[in-house]
């Protein structure tokens, strides 16, 4: 194995190169190597300056995350950074690629920084519920001021070299060969007699970092980092930097960052970080199974979903044919896509030229023959089994052998659709979420006969489309919609009958941390959509009443939500603000009477438990049926596709954090009170009895 840290001389400049592929994460071995190198060079009077850089494609891109779990080994960050900062001659960092987290922190402990023009600097800690813990919150304000430091930390978005130069993090941008240019910069510093310039010795410019500004910054952060404490912790740490000299500030930072690291919020966010990577590991899928190349696609249906899906492919550089039954439907689809791209151009996210390229890669048409030569077909026509059956029969006749045949159905049985073809092994579900060009989640639905290669192709495609592709099995609603409809939304509807109001339930669920309460969501999606899905024969079998009583009654009365101006709420023309709808109260009263339900006051606590626990129970059933491979996949689905609060880690992690024994006991109590739908899942009871967690459970 190559050395993690190597030192060479370029005249008076000692060049320390760190090499720990692929991303040069800062590990214990790297810290040790650096400490040894700096100590040794410190005693060498022939060294005029030290240049710190990396091998490979990036500067140090963060900490070694393994140390979250093993603890930080010796030497620690502080010990190393103090030696770097206290080095008797100038230390210069040469930044390129993406310097992140601990990579930025060590650069801040250096005396000077130069960067390649394409370098990026980022502090993503807040996305993991933590704050910088190696002096970063104390040194950054000393370079760029407290206000700019807080902005950078709260945004978590990397800044480019030009911005870093403008702010004062980077001293020099090096055009051409970075190392050569950085050595020349070091030699200029030596020639000018510039000594070490420890960041610790600088004072913090606190102008603009006042209570009013902090309040505004935290209000913005509360929207972006819903429910998280980390933004407040970042404020606390930056405030410390304005009050204490660095050594004391670092002690405070350490306390705050350890608190953050131990918090449930951080455990939850780190769980999701690893879970989102784990989804691509498919049990039983051998590495030897290679994905097929998808270089062209046809999308059938230019409606809401087809448009968004077409954009995903065009954005990934895959040309698509967008097919609908009538020319005007195709034109409407293309016009809607153009509008979305126009707005991206207006926001500066896309250049006019890029937009033209992407529009040119989407060809509209009405002839289904277009599917003949493509590598992949994605069917996004009406949610009707007859329509899907007819289309897949045609795909089977028209598509070339080996083409992947996918459906975007939300609820229909993929195996029935696959059976319409002579090649069920090529059929798979690609369940995009609306708006498909924005939502990160893609449920990849493997049919009973889907081949391993087609599955591998879908997993690779998800990555190419920059989606989180989670493989699930076939059942009504797959994982996400099944848990939503059978658990959460059904129980929320039941609570209306028992006496809670839509406003109260939405408020409680939003307070829990969901992006939107269930009734605001239903009104937005349209109350007819789920009713239609429930009208498919077989769906209501074994489901005693009350079962989605209020929503189905509203849908049958054409109270569809925002699109008809009234649903659970009412809406003023042109407005999306939900207002109290007395007509819905009357519907609920009448239904409750018919069903013999006595109405009562319901506490917020009861609402929270009764909406969230059914998700856990349905999730447990999904696991025991083998519909999801692991509980963390369910957490990824619910946090990326359904607005479940990320800081709670997803429904299954949330249950694990409460303790399954406690969850199981409450579930049994609710079963005694409310019957049928509350029967605890066998897996939940089993794990609770043996003191285990969902996270301990593995698919056989
Ligand atoms: P939509 O009604 O907006 O669009 C469907 C389009 O398909 C229409 O333009 C229609 O003309 C066209 N179409 C119908 N039959 C066709 C055929 N035989 N050949 C070619 N085109 C045909 O519907 P949508 O909301 O885009 O939903 C499409 C599919 O995606 C459905 O299966 C739906 O369940 C699924 N889905 C929808 C959502 C959502 O939120 N809307 C989310 C996930 C999945």
């Amino acid at each position: 194995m190559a050395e993690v840290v190597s030192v060479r001389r370029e005249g008076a400049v000692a060049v320390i190169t760190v090499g720990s592929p692929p991303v040069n994460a800062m590990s214990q071995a790297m810290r040790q190597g650096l400490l040894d190198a700096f100590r040794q060079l410190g005693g060498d009077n022939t060294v005029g300056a030290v240049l710190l850089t990396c091998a490979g494609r990036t500067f140090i891109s963060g900490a070694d995350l393994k140390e979250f779990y093993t603890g930080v080994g010796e030497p620690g960050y502080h010990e190393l950074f103090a030696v770097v900062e206290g080095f008797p001659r100038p230390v210069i960092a040469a930044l390129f690629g993406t310097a992140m987290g601990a990579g930025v922190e060590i650069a801040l402990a250096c005396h000077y920084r130069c960067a390649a023009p394409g370098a990026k600097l980022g502090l993503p800690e807040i996305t993991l519920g933590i704050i910088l813990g190696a002096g970063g919150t104390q040194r950054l304000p000393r370079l760029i001021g407290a206000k700019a430091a807080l902005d950078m930390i709260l945004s978590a978005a990397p800044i480019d070299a030009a911005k870093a130069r403008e702010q004062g993090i980077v001293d020099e941008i090096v055009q051409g060969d970075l190392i050569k240019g950085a050595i020349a910069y070091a030699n200029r510093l030596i020639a000018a007699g510039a000594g070490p310039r420890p960041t610790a010795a600088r004072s913090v410019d606190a102008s603009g970092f006042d209570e009013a500004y902090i309040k505004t910054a935290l209000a913005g952060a509360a929207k972006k980092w819903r429910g998280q404490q980390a933004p407040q912790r970042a404020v606390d740490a930056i405030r410390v930097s304005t009050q204490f000299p660095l050594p004391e500030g670092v002690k405070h930072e350490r306390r705050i960052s350890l608190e953050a690291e131990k918090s449930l919020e951080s455990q939850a966010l780190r769980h999701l970080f690893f879970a989102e990577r784990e989804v691509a590991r498919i049990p039983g899928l051998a590495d030897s199974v290679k994905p097929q190349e998808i270089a062209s696609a046809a999308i059938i249906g230019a409606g809401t979903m087809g448009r968004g899906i077409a954009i995903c492919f065009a954005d990934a550089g895959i040309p698509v044919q967008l097919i609908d039954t009538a020319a005007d439907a195709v034109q409407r689809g293309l016009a809607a896509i153009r509008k979305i791209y126009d707005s991206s151009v207006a926001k500066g996210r896309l250049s006019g030229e890029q937009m033209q390229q992407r529009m040119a890669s989407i060809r509209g048409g009405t002839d289904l023959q277009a599917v003949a030569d493509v590598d992949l077909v994605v069917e996004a026509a009406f949610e009707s089994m007859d329509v899907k059956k007819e289309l897949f029969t045609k795909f089977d006749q028209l598509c070339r052998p080996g083409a992947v045949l996918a459906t975007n159905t939300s609820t229909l049985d993929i195996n029935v659709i696959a059976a319409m073809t002579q090649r069920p092994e090529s059929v798979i579900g690609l369940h995009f979420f609306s708006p498909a060009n924005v939502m990160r989640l893609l449920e990849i639905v493997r049919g009973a006969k889907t081949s391993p290669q087609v599955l591998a192709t879908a997993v690779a495609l998800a990555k190419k489309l920059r989606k989180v592709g989670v493989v699930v099995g076939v059942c009504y609603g797959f994982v996400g919609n099944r848990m939503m409809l059978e658990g959460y939304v059904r129980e929320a509807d039941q609570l209306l009958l028992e006496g809670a109001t839509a406003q109260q339930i939405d408020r409680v669920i939003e307070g829990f941390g969901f992006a939107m309460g269930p009734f605001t969501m239903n009104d937005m999606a349209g109350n007819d959509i789920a009713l239609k899905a429930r009208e498919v024969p077989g769906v209501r079998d074994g489901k005693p009443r009350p079962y989605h009583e209020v929503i189905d009654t509203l849908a049958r009365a054409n109270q569809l939500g925002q699109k008809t101006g009234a649903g659970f709420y009412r809406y003023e023309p042109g407005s999306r603000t939900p207002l109290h709808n007395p007509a819905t109260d009357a519907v609920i009263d009448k239904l409750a009477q018919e069903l013999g339900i006595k109405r009562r006051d319901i506490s917020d606590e009861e609402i929270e438990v009764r909406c969230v626990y059914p998700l856990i129970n349905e999730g447990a059933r999904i696991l025991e049926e083998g519909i999801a491979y692991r509980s963390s996949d369910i957490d990824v689905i619910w946090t990326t596709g359904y607005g479940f609060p990320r800081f709670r880690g997803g429904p299954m992690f949330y249950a694990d954090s409460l303790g399954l024994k406690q969850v199981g006991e409450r579930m049994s109590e609710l079963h005694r009170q409310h019957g049928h739908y509350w029967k605890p899942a066998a897996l939940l009871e089993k794990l609770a009895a043996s003191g285990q967690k969902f996270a301990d459970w593995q698919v056989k």
Side-chain angles (χ1 to χ4, degrees):
M1 204 174 76
E3 258 186 314
V4 181
V5 175
S6 64
V7 183
R8 70 173 201 276
R9 286 294 289 269
E10 295 279 348
V13 182
V15 181
I16 301 182
T17 306
V18 166
S20 179
V23 292
N24 290 327
M26 191 170 306
S27 60
Q28 183 275 336
M30 190 185 286
R31 288 193 301 276
Q32 185 67 62
L34 284 169
L35 190 64
D36 292 346
F38 273 99
R39 285 207 170 126
Q40 203 179 5
L41 294 169
D44 183 346
N45 287 332
T46 66
V47 172
V50 172
L51 184 69
L52 173 64
T53 191
C54 290
R57 53 189 164 87
T58 181
F59 193 78
I60 297 164
S61 69
D64 177 1
L65 293 179
K66 276 205 289 294
E67 289 195 323
F68 263 132
Y69 300 99
T70 58
V72 176
E74 294 288 325
Y77 288 93
H78 293 289
E79 186 181 351
L80 169 65
F81 293 179
V83 169
V84 173
E85 193 160 49
F87 196 79
R89 290 172 294 280
V91 180
I92 302 120
L95 309 173
F96 64 102
T98 41
M100 306 272 263
V104 173
E105 288 187 291
I106 193 169
L108 298 175
C110 293
H111 305 145
Y112 303 87
R113 286 148 294 275
C114 56
K120 286 198 169 7
L121 283 73
L123 303 175
E125 281 64 20
I126 214 161
T127 63
L128 297 179
I130 53 177
I131 62 159
L132 293 168
T137 64
Q138 306 303 298
R139 289 193 179 91
L140 187 61
R142 286 177 159 77
L143 287 181
I144 67 174
K147 184 170 176 287
L150 183 63
D151 284 344
M152 186 171 170
I153 288 170
L154 292 185
S155 115
I159 58 169
D160 60 20
K163 176 99 194 261
R165 167 88 183 78
E166 184 191 307
Q167 289 198 320
I169 302 176
V170 162
D171 302 289
E172 182 119 336
I173 293 184
V174 176
Q175 305 293 338
D177 186 313
L178 173 68
I179 304 305
K180 268 196 198 149
I183 291 170
Y185 176 59
N187 279 319
R188 285 202 301 280
L189 290 173
I190 296 171
R197 195 185 57 172
T199 309
R202 300 192 182 192
S203 57
V204 175
D205 174 1
S207 55
F209 184 75
D210 51 32
E211 292 312 312
Y213 164 72
I214 290 171
K215 205 170 153 214
T216 313
L218 282 176
K223 283 194 197 124
K224 197 162 170 189
W225 313 110
R226 216 157 12 93
Q228 283 189 229
Q229 297 303 309
Q232 179 61 56
R233 297 191 209 273
V235 166
D236 294 345
I238 302 271
R239 188 177 282 131
V240 162
S241 80
T242 66
Q243 296 166 339
F244 298 98
L246 190 111
E248 267 176 79
V250 160
K251 276 189 208 144
H252 285 288
E253 179 201 72
R254 196 185 185 119
R255 175 182 49 77
I256 300 169
S257 84
L258 278 177
E259 269 169 27
E261 217 176 295
K262 286 200 195 115
S263 69
L264 198 53
E265 158 188 335
S266 173
Q267 290 172 38
L269 292 166
R270 279 181 275 149
H271 159 73
L272 290 174
F273 176 85
F274 289 111
E276 286 183 15
R277 273 147 194 80
E278 185 79 355
V279 292
R281 221 181 41 80
I282 312 302
L285 189 66
D287 287 345
S288 56
V289 179
K290 296 290 171 227
Q292 294 163 226
E293 201 197 329
I294 302 295
S296 59
I299 293 159
I300 313 306
T304 312
M305 294 308 290
R307 297 163 190 179
I309 298 169
I311 292 176
C312 295
F313 280 83
D315 287 354
I318 301 171
V320 292
Q321 316 229 25
L322 185 60
I323 308 298
D324 209 300
T325 43
D328 62 335
V330 176
Q331 287 318 317
R332 275 199 305 276
L334 290 174
I337 292 172
R338 182 173 287 281
K339 211 169 142 196
I340 291 170
Y341 275 137
D342 272 336
S343 110
S344 297
V345 172
K347 287 181 191 142
R349 292 195 192 135
L350 208 65
S351 72
E353 195 185 333
Q354 282 171 320
M355 169 173 167
Q356 293 312 329
Q357 271 169 6
R358 291 186 196 182
M359 281 307 295
S361 69
I362 304 174
R363 292 232 320 265
T366 53
D367 188 355
L368 206 58
Q369 192 68 35
V371 301
D373 301 318
V374 296
D375 297 329
L376 164 74
V377 181
V378 183
E379 173 277 317
F382 295 138
E383 184 76 341
S384 137
M385 188 50 105
D386 289 342
V387 171
K388 311 240 183 231
K389 279 183 170 175
E390 195 186 323
L391 280 168
F392 274 75
T393 307
K394 288 192 184 146
F395 298 160
D396 197 27
Q397 293 158 2
L398 296 171
C399 290
R400 65 161 183 76
V404 176
L405 311 182
T407 171
N408 183 44
T409 182
S410 308
T411 49
L412 299 173
D413 188 334
I414 310 269
N415 293 329
V416 175
I417 296 173
M420 300 313 293
T421 72
Q422 303 298 312
R423 38 173 141 173
E425 69 281 1
S426 296
V427 178
I428 195 161
L430 289 180
H431 185 210
F432 289 84
F433 288 72
S434 183
N437 53 310
V438 176
M439 297 292 286
R440 286 172 68 222
L441 178 62
L442 177 66
E443 275 186 329
I444 299 171
V445 192
R446 77 184 131 75
K449 295 192 175 158
T450 305
S451 74
Q453 197 189 16
V454 167
L455 191 55
T457 303
V459 170
L461 177 71
K463 240 182 216 166
K464 199 161 177 196
L465 300 180
R466 305 173 76 133
K467 303 276 177 211
V468 187
V470 187
V471 178
V472 301
V474 175
C475 63
Y476 170 68
F478 316 124
V479 170
N481 281 348
R482 169 171 159 184
M483 286 169 69
M484 176 178 77
L485 296 172
E486 295 299 291
Y488 171 74
V489 164
R490 180 197 48 68
E491 192 65 18
D493 198 283
Q494 168 77 23
L495 283 164
L496 290 179
L497 297 174
E498 290 180 30
T501 64
Q503 285 91 335
Q504 186 190 8
I505 296 171
D506 280 351
R507 174 178 54 72
V508 170
I509 291 302
E510 283 159 26
F512 179 78
F514 267 89
M516 199 185 277
F519 298 110
T520 312
M521 180 193 72
N522 282 335
D523 268 2
M524 220 172 98
N527 295 326
D528 50 332
I529 305 280
L531 172 62
K532 225 174 124 201
R534 277 189 285 278
E535 280 170 347
V536 170
V539 169
R540 289 180 192 270
D541 293 354
K543 312 274 172 61
R545 291 183 75 185
Y547 182 68
H548 297 281
E549 303 295 336
V550 183
I551 186 170
D552 288 354
T553 306
L554 292 177
R556 289 191 187 105
N558 205 38
Q559 305 277 295
L560 306 185
Q562 287 190 12
K563 61 186 170 189
T564 56
F568 287 97
Y569 298 99
R570 65 182 184 82
Y571 302 85
E572 294 294 336
S575 160
R576 288 168 193 257
T577 308
L579 302 170
H580 176 224
N581 189 356
T584 305
D585 295 347
V587 168
I588 295 169
D589 272 341
K590 188 158 172 272
L591 277 167
Q593 263 185 26
E594 273 171 30
L595 291 159
I597 297 170
K598 207 166 146 313
R599 311 198 67 213
R600 63 188 168 92
D601 282 342
I602 302 185
S603 73
D604 289 357
E605 194 271 348
E606 181 176 345
I607 288 173
E608 183 181 301
V609 168
R610 287 186 58 188
C611 289
V612 177
Y613 279 33
L615 287 174
I616 299 167
N617 211 20
E618 203 60 37
R621 289 193 190 110
I622 280 169
L623 282 178
E624 67 197 13
E625 289 168 25
I627 298 292
Y629 290 127
R630 49 199 156 230
S631 62
S632 62
D633 284 1
I634 298 177
D635 290 334
V636 169
I637 289 173
W638 269 79
T639 49
T640 55
Y642 293 84
F644 191 97
R646 289 182 65 82
F647 71 93
R648 295 191 194 273
M652 310 316 276
F653 179 92
Y654 177 63
D656 280 348
S657 73
L658 293 174
L660 295 192
K661 186 164 173 288
Q662 187 221 301
V663 173
E665 280 167 7
R666 187 76 188 265
M667 204 89 83
S668 299
E669 187 190 318
L670 287 158
H671 186 209
R672 281 191 294 277
Q673 286 167 0
H674 301 284
H676 187 83
Y677 293 105
W678 282 96
K679 186 171 170 24
L683 179 66
L684 172 63
E685 287 188 319
K686 193 174 107 187
L687 294 174
S690 59
Q692 285 181 291
K693 295 180 165 201
F694 285 124
D696 299 323
W697 191 85
Q698 291 287 328
V699 72
K700 299 273 176 327

